[in-house]
Amino acid sequence: AAVQAVSREAPRVAGEMNPQEVSNTWSAMAKLAERRVEVDAAVVLAVSKRALCVSGEMIPQAVSNTLWAMAKLAERSVEVDAAAVRAVSREAPRVAGEMKPQE
């Protein structure tokens, strides 16, 4: 029930999300997909559109987490907007020097 409630609201609020919220939403969708929970295409589309707007403001961890989430969704055959992938990917060189390896 909670997943459906969030899925209904996410497209409505996506246009107001900041870069961290966009990244967190991508991560949540990927984790749901890994658990074989259906991810709503309208949510993916709304968050993709917002990623186009805020990718240039993402911090290194948000870029990394978003790209990981996009890859995981694609791996689960969830259609991921190619323009959003390109937009976030373009930010990797900008933040690469600030990225910290996981311990």
Side-chain angles (χ1 to χ4, degrees):
V3 173
Q4 288 95 359
V6 171
S7 292
R8 280 192 305 274
E9 290 301 309
R12 185 181 64 77
V13 301
E16 301 166 17
M17 289 180 178
N18 65 38
Q20 186 64 51
E21 293 164 337
V22 169
S23 179
N24 290 348
T25 304
W26 276 106
S27 293
M29 290 188 296
K31 288 176 184 175
L32 288 170
E34 282 188 314
R35 288 163 181 76
R36 306 215 190 288
V37 175
E38 186 176 341
V39 177
D40 190 315
V43 177
V44 176
L45 179 61
V47 179
S48 293
K49 287 181 180 178
R50 188 61 181 163
L52 293 170
C53 299
V54 301
S55 59
E57 302 167 43
M58 286 182 170
I59 63 172
Q61 185 175 2
V63 171
S64 176
N65 290 349
T66 302
L67 289 172
W68 171 86
M70 290 172 161
K72 284 295 179 183
L73 285 166
E75 191 177 79
R76 290 286 179 196
S77 299
V78 175
E79 189 171 335
V80 177
D81 183 73
V85 175
R86 284 192 301 273
V88 179
S89 295
R90 279 194 297 268
E91 299 306 318
R94 173 181 62 83
V95 300
E98 301 169 52
M99 288 184 167
K100 298 177 182 145
Q102 289 186 346
E103 298 181 25

